[in-house]
Amino acid sequence: MTEAPVRAATPPVSDVDPFSDEHLLNPEPLHQALREAGPVVYLSHYDVHALARYEQVHAALVDWQHFESGSGVGLANFRHEEPWRPPSLLLEADPPRHDAPRHVLRNILAPPALRRLQAAWSAVAEELVDEVLAHGPEFNAFTALAEAFPLRAFPDAVGIGPEGRENLLPYGNMAFNAFGPRNDLVAADADRAGDLSAWVNAQCAREALTEDGFGADIWAAADRGDLTYEQAPLVVRSLLTAGVDTTVHALSACLYAFATHPEKWQRLRERPELARVAFEEAMRWQSPVQTFFRTATTDVNVAGSVVPEGSKILMFLGAANRDPVRWSEPDRFDLTRDPSGHVGFGMGLHQCVGQHVARLEAEALLTALARRVESFELTGTPRRHANNTLRAWESLPVRVRPSA
Ligand code: EJD
């Protein structure tokens, strides 16, 4: 192929605010409009370029050389703006600084290291489901299961103390709002930010952690010289920031999917080994993490348009995961498709390092539920919770018919 002189096209412009309640609570119409507008769309409201097609989102995620994370993966550009907290050593860093913390955490959260948790988490899930069912057939599956299960499983696995765990979800909600603009959602938590941060930071100290959790493993990596002692508490902070709300809303996505597709629940009950692919398809279909930003390290040509050096790029993971060019009948929750390649965990260098933890939690909860619940259905309209990054939930009212 010969290189023709490229004339930069001007991308389509939109003045939409993707972080308004309207679009946060019901993102699909905006996703479709952005995908159809072009491979890249300039959002004048925030002076950012948006990618909503699978091809461009995937390409940006794997091209860390042109789309950096070190200037922040939210709207705030760390080249010009002070971050709200010391940047994450993993999420908000590029190679080579990114690599040592990543390597340490990858080993700690790899499938072989998680094997000892499988039996424990299955028992936790079975106990929780039994407790919930003992209270009667109608409940809010969001609070009773999707929130309750990760809170019983994950903080113990990290090894934090019993006090103050009620701060975990509010801290995560705040952190994920902070990737967006400083809108009302951010303002609503402003008065708690200091206290929540102080509590989380205190949990990251070696003395605050048990000797057998992920947190202790991180400190042990510092003893081996794989991390510095200054880095260790920040890596623990990454677990506490990224590890709770994400799984809560991913489990919610699964429960919502099955509550609205009863015939698929029957399939899962017949073949519990489908739990893993069901989780992956729910990740594709709902994309609990909806958006992330990168920053252009040079003028980058995206499908003929120039994205200027130093500018922010907004990637719509949820839109890519339903791009009809990539997925057939993308709006269907379909247990027979192959959902691999979805970008719900990101892609490339920064792809979710905790994904095996998330999958294990989902498998434990869905398997326990499938054994005990013959069928379940919504008894009212599920309610979403607005968050600048997460496709989040507030309530999922269900009625279950327990197994005989
Ligand atoms: C995240 C999208 C951190 C951190 C890491 C990852 C996330 C958030 C925070 C999970 C982003 O290192 O603090 S899903």
Side-chain angles (χ1 to χ4, degrees):
M1 205 161 59
T2 54
E3 287 275 328
V6 177
R7 178 163 316 175
T10 311
V13 179
S14 168
D15 64 0
V16 72
D17 178 3
F19 300 98
S20 65
D21 269 8
E22 175 194 354
H23 298 303
L24 292 178
L25 296 173
N26 178 30
E28 278 84 17
L30 172 64
H31 291 172
Q32 181 176 357
L34 290 173
R35 278 192 310 259
E36 289 175 358
V40 54
V41 181
Y42 178 70
L43 301 185
S44 55
H45 195 82
Y46 293 114
D47 184 26
V48 304
H49 286 77
L51 311 177
R53 295 185 183 176
Y54 182 89
E55 181 184 342
Q56 278 74 35
V57 169
H58 185 281
L61 284 169
V62 299
D63 184 358
W64 58 268
Q65 289 94 337
H66 292 105
F67 299 96
E68 69 176 13
S69 293
S71 299
V73 298
L75 177 62
N77 189 328
F78 295 174
R79 299 179 185 195
H80 316 296
E81 289 177 64
E82 182 87 20
W84 72 280
R85 59 175 197 171
S88 162
L89 302 179
L90 289 126
L91 182 75
E92 294 156 330
D94 300 295
R97 288 174 50 230
H98 159 269
D99 299 340
R102 169 79 187 199
H103 183 78
V104 164
L105 208 48
R106 193 194 56 197
N107 289 336
I108 291 170
L109 304 179
L114 299 184
R115 239 169 254 147
R116 66 185 179 88
L117 287 173
Q118 184 159 18
W121 284 3
S122 292
V124 171
E126 286 169 13
E127 193 178 279
L128 174 66
V129 173
D130 285 342
E131 268 176 50
V132 170
L133 295 182
H135 279 88
E138 290 191 25
F139 54 89
N140 177 355
F142 171 69
T143 48
L145 297 174
E147 281 193 329
F149 179 65
L151 285 176
R152 286 193 190 190
F154 188 72
D156 283 343
V158 176
I160 65 170
E163 302 291 323
R165 291 181 177 198
E166 68 281 1
N167 290 319
L168 285 167
L169 289 171
Y171 181 79
N173 185 58
M174 182 177 79
F176 283 96
N177 275 330
F179 294 119
R182 292 194 182 159
N183 56 15
D184 290 351
L185 295 172
V186 172
D189 282 336
D191 59 332
R192 308 177 68 187
D195 288 348
L196 289 170
S197 291
W199 179 81
V200 165
N201 293 340
Q203 309 316 304
C204 301
R206 189 166 213 167
E207 308 72 55
L209 294 157
T210 61
E211 283 170 17
D212 61 351
F214 300 143
D217 294 343
I218 290 166
W219 281 99
D223 291 337
R224 291 193 303 271
D226 295 342
L227 289 176
T228 67
Y229 287 108
E230 288 72 37
Q231 288 176 315
L234 276 174
V235 177
V236 179
R237 192 194 69 177
S238 287
L239 289 183
L240 297 178
T241 311
V244 189
D245 299 64
T246 48
T247 51
V248 164
H249 297 296
L251 294 175
S252 302
C254 295
L255 296 172
Y256 173 66
F258 282 116
T260 53
H261 297 76
E263 72 290 354
K264 282 162 191 145
W265 185 250
Q266 292 320 312
R267 288 216 62 204
L268 179 72
R269 281 175 33 84
E270 288 155 19
R271 296 187 49 200
E273 62 278 11
L274 285 175
R276 290 222 160 214
V277 77
F279 175 68
E280 230 53 39
E281 172 65 350
M283 285 290 296
R284 183 199 67 79
W285 188 59
Q286 289 291 299
S287 304
V289 177
Q290 288 270 293
T291 47
F292 259 92
F293 292 82
R294 293 288 189 257
T295 307
T297 58
T298 63
D299 285 355
V300 193
N301 184 332
V302 179
S305 295
V306 172
V307 175
E309 191 267 333
S311 68
K312 285 276 168 172
I313 297 100
L314 173 53
M315 305 175 295
F316 283 87
L317 308 180
N321 279 337
R322 292 193 185 204
D323 183 343
V325 174
R326 172 63 179 78
W327 311 96
S328 63
E329 296 192 77
D331 296 329
R332 272 180 53 132
F333 174 68
D334 179 359
L335 294 186
T336 66
R337 83 164 80 236
D338 177 3
S340 61
H342 76 76
V343 290
F345 284 125
M347 197 56 77
L349 195 73
H350 290 278
Q351 192 183 38
C352 180
V353 74
Q355 59 186 282
H356 305 291
V357 179
R359 291 191 181 112
L360 192 61
E361 288 186 31
E363 182 180 44
L365 183 63
L366 290 177
T367 307
L369 210 54
R371 282 208 205 101
R372 287 162 173 76
V373 169
E374 196 169 296
S375 62
F376 66 109
E377 61 184 8
L378 293 173
T379 55
T381 311
R383 282 207 314 278
R384 298 271 181 189
H385 168 76
N387 180 282
N388 281 334
T389 302
L390 300 172
R391 187 167 164 104
W393 294 84
E394 192 171 289
S395 83
L396 256 172
V398 298
R399 179 186 305 116
V400 307
R401 186 211 296 240
S403 308

